[in-house]
Amino acid sequence: MVPVKFADLGRRPYQEIWDFQEDCLQKVISQKIASRTDPDIHPDLFLFFVEHDPVFTLGKSGKEDHLLVDQTELKTRGVDYHKINRGGDITFHGHGQIVGYPIWDLDQIYTDIHRYLREIEEVVILTLQDFGISNAGRSEGLTGVWVGEEKICAIGVRTSRWVTMHGFALNVNTDLSYFNLIVPCGIQDKAVTSMEKILGYRLHPEDVKASLKQNFEKVFPIMLQAYEV
């Protein structure tokens, strides 16, 4: 099993955590380069959970017109907006959503980005099943996790030297009205949902996080270790 340092970062602004991810990515890449000449060096792997203040993020392949409001309205609503370096289009992060950021050297697991994405989906699918959402699954040709025709979890990643960053965003008790201000993930004809909407009650985020952690260890050959940030 590959050890992975885990930390729950609580509620943080998006830019702060994006910068933090970039720092961790560069640390892992530096360790990876050093390990080529020193076999005693093993690059760190990290997994972070976080809840962001309201923000729209636009991926490298996204279209700016998928943001349906102007900057003035964003400021009025207290929503940030960032163009970022992950794949995918536009999505929302906010309160009541669990965002997960694996910063992993895939050379220590497997160098297959498509398998990596499918297995992150599997972690989320198993977690939803733990809470009685048995019809969660995939939509052919699309990344993420769906319940029927509604997306419940968005996934977007970046890799550099086979080191990953960014990750997934699972709607738990999320205010879904924010998604009316964008074309979510650039998909015109599908809606967005949450665990709360499906189940009819608010969930305890710590219960969902615990399930996610268990399922990460079930799906991937990893062992999570507590990490102080």
Side-chain angles (χ1 to χ4, degrees):
M1 292 294 179
V2 181
V4 173
K5 297 179 177 180
F6 171 80
D8 186 343
L9 304 178
R11 183 178 292 181
R12 303 285 188 94
Y14 187 83
Q15 184 68 59
E16 175 188 336
I17 299 303
W18 185 15
D19 292 342
F20 177 67
Q21 284 191 80
E22 292 281 4
D23 289 344
C24 291
L25 177 80
Q26 294 308 317
K27 176 182 178 181
V28 175
I29 290 174
S30 295
Q31 292 172 333
K32 187 171 183 176
I33 293 170
S35 71
R36 294 172 182 169
T37 55
D38 186 344
D40 291 330
I41 295 176
H42 300 284
D44 291 321
L45 279 70
F46 301 97
L47 174 62
F48 302 114
F49 287 172
V50 66
E51 180 185 33
H52 286 304
D53 293 325
V55 60
F56 294 123
T57 64
L58 181 70
K60 293 184 297 183
S61 58
K63 297 181 179 179
E64 289 193 58
D65 60 4
H66 289 162
L67 176 65
L68 305 179
V69 294
D70 60 23
Q71 295 295 323
T72 300
E73 185 164 353
L74 287 179
K75 290 180 180 178
T76 300
R77 292 174 177 265
V79 184
D80 285 338
Y81 173 60
H82 293 282
K83 299 177 185 178
I84 63 172
N85 56 359
R86 61 161 170 77
D89 207 287
I90 194 167
T91 195
F92 169 74
H93 300 312
H95 304 162
Q97 185 186 72
I98 297 173
V99 180
Y101 293 132
I103 302 175
W104 291 359
D105 173 20
L106 290 183
D107 273 324
Q108 297 187 53
I109 302 175
Y110 47 68
T111 51
D112 184 336
I113 193 64
H114 296 290
R115 178 180 173 186
Y116 172 70
L117 292 170
R118 300 294 80 77
E119 293 196 344
I120 288 180
E121 291 169 349
E122 187 65 18
V123 169
V124 175
I125 289 168
L126 291 174
T127 298
L128 293 170
Q129 289 175 353
D130 287 344
F131 289 86
I133 303 175
S134 59
N135 59 333
R138 299 173 178 85
S139 182
E140 186 175 356
L142 299 172
T143 299
V145 179
W146 305 75
V147 180
E149 294 296 305
E150 296 182 314
K151 194 172 208 176
I152 195 167
C153 180
I155 298 172
V157 303
R158 174 197 172 204
T159 60
S160 178
R161 296 177 183 261
W162 286 109
V163 179
T164 68
M165 65 178 290
H166 301 296
F168 69 91
L170 173 61
N171 295 327
V172 181
N173 302 314
T174 316
D175 181 350
L176 299 177
S177 67
Y178 286 98
F179 289 96
N180 297 329
L181 308 179
I182 60 174
V183 179
C185 301
I187 303 171
Q188 299 277 359
D189 59 346
K190 294 184 184 292
V192 178
T193 192
S194 68
M195 296 177 71
E196 179 185 21
K197 179 181 176 183
I198 293 167
L199 296 171
Y201 60 86
R202 293 185 69 80
L203 293 98
H204 295 290
E206 296 306 316
D207 294 340
V208 182
K209 292 173 186 177
S211 175
L212 284 167
K213 290 169 65 178
Q214 289 175 354
N215 287 315
F216 261 103
E217 291 183 318
K218 183 183 296 184
V219 172
F220 290 97
I222 65 167
M223 178 177 58
L224 297 178
Q225 301 175 338
Y227 177 63
E228 292 292 330
V229 176

PDB file of all heavy atoms in Angstrom, residues 12 24 41 48 69 76 90 107 125-126 130 154 163 165 184 187 197 206 219:
ATOM      1  N   ARG A  12     -12.039  27.186   3.167  1.00  0.00           N
ATOM      2  CA  ARG A  12     -10.955  28.074   2.736  1.00  0.00           C
ATOM      3  C   ARG A  12     -11.319  28.752   1.415  1.00  0.00           C
ATOM      4  O   ARG A  12     -12.011  28.170   0.575  1.00  0.00           O
ATOM      5  CB  ARG A  12      -9.662  27.296   2.527  1.00  0.00           C
ATOM      6  CG  ARG A  12      -9.159  26.502   3.715  1.00  0.00           C
ATOM      7  CD  ARG A  12      -8.534  27.372   4.778  1.00  0.00           C
ATOM      8  NE  ARG A  12      -7.907  26.549   5.813  1.00  0.00           N
ATOM      9  CZ  ARG A  12      -6.628  26.203   5.820  1.00  0.00           C
ATOM     10  NH1 ARG A  12      -5.824  26.619   4.858  1.00  0.00           N
ATOM     11  NH2 ARG A  12      -6.144  25.458   6.799  1.00  0.00           N
ATOM     12  N   CYS A  24       2.439  22.195  -3.242  1.00  0.00           N
ATOM     13  CA  CYS A  24       2.572  20.754  -3.003  1.00  0.00           C
ATOM     14  C   CYS A  24       2.997  20.019  -4.270  1.00  0.00           C
ATOM     15  O   CYS A  24       3.845  19.108  -4.223  1.00  0.00           O
ATOM     16  CB  CYS A  24       1.262  20.178  -2.476  1.00  0.00           C
ATOM     17  SG  CYS A  24       0.809  20.698  -0.809  1.00  0.00           S
ATOM     18  N   ILE A  41      14.770   8.462  -1.337  1.00  0.00           N
ATOM     19  CA  ILE A  41      13.755   9.518  -1.403  1.00  0.00           C
ATOM     20  C   ILE A  41      12.498   8.958  -2.058  1.00  0.00           C
ATOM     21  O   ILE A  41      12.556   8.383  -3.150  1.00  0.00           O
ATOM     22  CB  ILE A  41      14.268  10.739  -2.198  1.00  0.00           C
ATOM     23  CG1 ILE A  41      15.447  11.387  -1.468  1.00  0.00           C
ATOM     24  CG2 ILE A  41      13.139  11.749  -2.422  1.00  0.00           C
ATOM     25  CD1 ILE A  41      16.082  12.533  -2.232  1.00  0.00           C
ATOM     26  N   PHE A  48      -6.291  16.066   0.133  1.00  0.00           N
ATOM     27  CA  PHE A  48      -6.883  17.131   0.935  1.00  0.00           C
ATOM     28  C   PHE A  48      -8.371  17.225   0.663  1.00  0.00           C
ATOM     29  O   PHE A  48      -8.804  17.162  -0.493  1.00  0.00           O
ATOM     30  CB  PHE A  48      -6.229  18.477   0.619  1.00  0.00           C
ATOM     31  CG  PHE A  48      -4.745  18.510   0.839  1.00  0.00           C
ATOM     32  CD1 PHE A  48      -3.867  18.662  -0.218  1.00  0.00           C
ATOM     33  CD2 PHE A  48      -4.224  18.376   2.119  1.00  0.00           C
ATOM     34  CE1 PHE A  48      -2.496  18.681  -0.020  1.00  0.00           C
ATOM     35  CE2 PHE A  48      -2.851  18.390   2.341  1.00  0.00           C
ATOM     36  CZ  PHE A  48      -1.989  18.548   1.266  1.00  0.00           C
ATOM     37  N   VAL A  69     -23.520  35.361 -16.027  1.00  0.00           N
ATOM     38  CA  VAL A  69     -23.685  36.660 -15.372  1.00  0.00           C
ATOM     39  C   VAL A  69     -22.377  37.438 -15.501  1.00  0.00           C
ATOM     40  O   VAL A  69     -21.320  36.864 -15.751  1.00  0.00           O
ATOM     41  CB  VAL A  69     -24.078  36.509 -13.885  1.00  0.00           C
ATOM     42  CG1 VAL A  69     -25.457  35.889 -13.748  1.00  0.00           C
ATOM     43  CG2 VAL A  69     -23.048  35.679 -13.128  1.00  0.00           C
ATOM     44  N   THR A  76     -21.865  41.312  -6.460  1.00  0.00           N
ATOM     45  CA  THR A  76     -23.078  41.510  -5.665  1.00  0.00           C
ATOM     46  C   THR A  76     -23.445  40.249  -4.896  1.00  0.00           C
ATOM     47  O   THR A  76     -23.867  40.300  -3.740  1.00  0.00           O
ATOM     48  CB  THR A  76     -24.247  41.930  -6.577  1.00  0.00           C
ATOM     49  OG1 THR A  76     -23.913  43.158  -7.228  1.00  0.00           O
ATOM     50  CG2 THR A  76     -25.529  42.103  -5.775  1.00  0.00           C
ATOM     51  N   ILE A  90     -16.662  24.942 -16.931  1.00  0.00           N
ATOM     52  CA  ILE A  90     -16.946  25.750 -15.741  1.00  0.00           C
ATOM     53  C   ILE A  90     -17.744  24.945 -14.720  1.00  0.00           C
ATOM     54  O   ILE A  90     -18.602  24.132 -15.071  1.00  0.00           O
ATOM     55  CB  ILE A  90     -17.705  27.046 -16.127  1.00  0.00           C
ATOM     56  CG1 ILE A  90     -17.705  28.046 -14.972  1.00  0.00           C
ATOM     57  CG2 ILE A  90     -19.127  26.734 -16.604  1.00  0.00           C
ATOM     58  CD1 ILE A  90     -18.155  29.441 -15.384  1.00  0.00           C
ATOM     59  N   ASP A 107       3.187   7.577 -10.906  1.00  0.00           N
ATOM     60  CA  ASP A 107       4.206   6.549 -11.102  1.00  0.00           C
ATOM     61  C   ASP A 107       4.241   5.577  -9.939  1.00  0.00           C
ATOM     62  O   ASP A 107       4.731   4.451 -10.073  1.00  0.00           O
ATOM     63  CB  ASP A 107       5.584   7.184 -11.284  1.00  0.00           C
ATOM     64  CG  ASP A 107       5.874   7.560 -12.729  1.00  0.00           C
ATOM     65  OD1 ASP A 107       5.452   6.809 -13.624  1.00  0.00           O
ATOM     66  OD2 ASP A 107       6.500   8.608 -12.954  1.00  0.00           O
ATOM     67  N   ILE A 125     -19.070   6.934  -6.348  1.00  0.00           N
ATOM     68  CA  ILE A 125     -20.232   6.048  -6.531  1.00  0.00           C
ATOM     69  C   ILE A 125     -20.430   5.163  -5.303  1.00  0.00           C
ATOM     70  O   ILE A 125     -21.554   5.008  -4.793  1.00  0.00           O
ATOM     71  CB  ILE A 125     -20.056   5.205  -7.806  1.00  0.00           C
ATOM     72  CG1 ILE A 125     -20.201   6.086  -9.052  1.00  0.00           C
ATOM     73  CG2 ILE A 125     -21.080   4.060  -7.854  1.00  0.00           C
ATOM     74  CD1 ILE A 125     -19.763   5.420 -10.345  1.00  0.00           C
ATOM     75  N   LEU A 126     -19.350   4.574  -4.800  1.00  0.00           N
ATOM     76  CA  LEU A 126     -19.454   3.725  -3.612  1.00  0.00           C
ATOM     77  C   LEU A 126     -19.901   4.530  -2.399  1.00  0.00           C
ATOM     78  O   LEU A 126     -20.683   4.041  -1.573  1.00  0.00           O
ATOM     79  CB  LEU A 126     -18.099   3.065  -3.334  1.00  0.00           C
ATOM     80  CG  LEU A 126     -17.652   2.001  -4.347  1.00  0.00           C
ATOM     81  CD1 LEU A 126     -16.235   1.539  -4.030  1.00  0.00           C
ATOM     82  CD2 LEU A 126     -18.608   0.822  -4.365  1.00  0.00           C
ATOM     83  N   ASP A 130     -23.257   4.095  -0.086  1.00  0.00           N
ATOM     84  CA  ASP A 130     -23.248   3.978   1.380  1.00  0.00           C
ATOM     85  C   ASP A 130     -24.392   4.755   2.023  1.00  0.00           C
ATOM     86  O   ASP A 130     -24.812   4.433   3.136  1.00  0.00           O
ATOM     87  CB  ASP A 130     -21.923   4.492   1.938  1.00  0.00           C
ATOM     88  CG  ASP A 130     -20.751   3.547   1.674  1.00  0.00           C
ATOM     89  OD1 ASP A 130     -20.991   2.373   1.335  1.00  0.00           O
ATOM     90  OD2 ASP A 130     -19.593   3.998   1.806  1.00  0.00           O
ATOM     91  N   ALA A 154     -18.585  16.658  -9.948  1.00  0.00           N
ATOM     92  CA  ALA A 154     -17.736  17.074 -11.068  1.00  0.00           C
ATOM     93  C   ALA A 154     -16.292  16.669 -10.784  1.00  0.00           C
ATOM     94  O   ALA A 154     -15.852  16.669  -9.622  1.00  0.00           O
ATOM     95  CB  ALA A 154     -17.821  18.585 -11.269  1.00  0.00           C
ATOM     96  N   VAL A 163       2.275  13.801 -11.980  1.00  0.00           N
ATOM     97  CA  VAL A 163       1.800  14.211 -10.662  1.00  0.00           C
ATOM     98  C   VAL A 163       0.492  14.969 -10.844  1.00  0.00           C
ATOM     99  O   VAL A 163       0.405  15.886 -11.666  1.00  0.00           O
ATOM    100  CB  VAL A 163       2.835  15.092  -9.933  1.00  0.00           C
ATOM    101  CG1 VAL A 163       2.290  15.533  -8.567  1.00  0.00           C
ATOM    102  CG2 VAL A 163       4.153  14.344  -9.758  1.00  0.00           C
ATOM    103  N   MET A 165      -3.076  17.157  -9.726  1.00  0.00           N
ATOM    104  CA  MET A 165      -3.656  18.154  -8.822  1.00  0.00           C
ATOM    105  C   MET A 165      -5.091  18.414  -9.261  1.00  0.00           C
ATOM    106  O   MET A 165      -5.560  17.847 -10.246  1.00  0.00           O
ATOM    107  CB  MET A 165      -2.843  19.449  -8.787  1.00  0.00           C
ATOM    108  CG  MET A 165      -2.793  20.233 -10.073  1.00  0.00           C
ATOM    109  SD  MET A 165      -1.863  21.789  -9.921  1.00  0.00           S
ATOM    110  CE  MET A 165      -2.965  22.769  -8.889  1.00  0.00           C
ATOM    111  N   PRO A 184     -23.293  24.338 -16.408  1.00  0.00           N
ATOM    112  CA  PRO A 184     -22.406  23.488 -15.617  1.00  0.00           C
ATOM    113  C   PRO A 184     -21.611  22.504 -16.471  1.00  0.00           C
ATOM    114  O   PRO A 184     -22.181  21.738 -17.255  1.00  0.00           O
ATOM    115  CB  PRO A 184     -23.373  22.750 -14.677  1.00  0.00           C
ATOM    116  CG  PRO A 184     -24.583  23.617 -14.600  1.00  0.00           C
ATOM    117  CD  PRO A 184     -24.692  24.231 -15.967  1.00  0.00           C
ATOM    118  N   ILE A 187     -22.259  21.611 -20.276  1.00  0.00           N
ATOM    119  CA  ILE A 187     -23.263  20.673 -20.793  1.00  0.00           C
ATOM    120  C   ILE A 187     -24.631  21.332 -20.721  1.00  0.00           C
ATOM    121  O   ILE A 187     -25.132  21.650 -19.635  1.00  0.00           O
ATOM    122  CB  ILE A 187     -23.249  19.356 -19.988  1.00  0.00           C
ATOM    123  CG1 ILE A 187     -21.846  18.735 -20.035  1.00  0.00           C
ATOM    124  CG2 ILE A 187     -24.278  18.380 -20.543  1.00  0.00           C
ATOM    125  CD1 ILE A 187     -21.669  17.563 -19.095  1.00  0.00           C
ATOM    126  N   LYS A 197     -30.738  16.915  -1.897  1.00  0.00           N
ATOM    127  CA  LYS A 197     -31.939  16.962  -2.749  1.00  0.00           C
ATOM    128  C   LYS A 197     -32.502  15.565  -2.968  1.00  0.00           C
ATOM    129  O   LYS A 197     -33.729  15.365  -2.912  1.00  0.00           O
ATOM    130  CB  LYS A 197     -31.587  17.608  -4.089  1.00  0.00           C
ATOM    131  CG  LYS A 197     -32.757  17.681  -5.058  1.00  0.00           C
ATOM    132  CD  LYS A 197     -32.350  18.304  -6.384  1.00  0.00           C
ATOM    133  CE  LYS A 197     -33.513  18.276  -7.380  1.00  0.00           C
ATOM    134  NZ  LYS A 197     -33.108  18.809  -8.702  1.00  0.00           N
ATOM    135  N   GLU A 206     -19.207  15.265   7.990  1.00  0.00           N
ATOM    136  CA  GLU A 206     -18.162  14.385   8.515  1.00  0.00           C
ATOM    137  C   GLU A 206     -18.461  12.924   8.206  1.00  0.00           C
ATOM    138  O   GLU A 206     -17.539  12.128   8.005  1.00  0.00           O
ATOM    139  CB  GLU A 206     -18.003  14.591  10.025  1.00  0.00           C
ATOM    140  CG  GLU A 206     -17.515  15.975  10.414  1.00  0.00           C
ATOM    141  CD  GLU A 206     -16.227  16.369   9.704  1.00  0.00           C
ATOM    142  OE1 GLU A 206     -15.317  15.514   9.619  1.00  0.00           O
ATOM    143  OE2 GLU A 206     -16.126  17.515   9.239  1.00  0.00           O
ATOM    144  N   VAL A 219     -10.650   1.491  -3.197  1.00  0.00           N
ATOM    145  CA  VAL A 219     -10.500   1.512  -4.655  1.00  0.00           C
ATOM    146  C   VAL A 219      -9.034   1.615  -5.082  1.00  0.00           C
ATOM    147  O   VAL A 219      -8.603   0.964  -6.035  1.00  0.00           O
ATOM    148  CB  VAL A 219     -11.323   2.677  -5.251  1.00  0.00           C
ATOM    149  CG1 VAL A 219     -11.038   2.846  -6.746  1.00  0.00           C
ATOM    150  CG2 VAL A 219     -12.813   2.433  -5.024  1.00  0.00           C
TER     151      VAL A 219
END
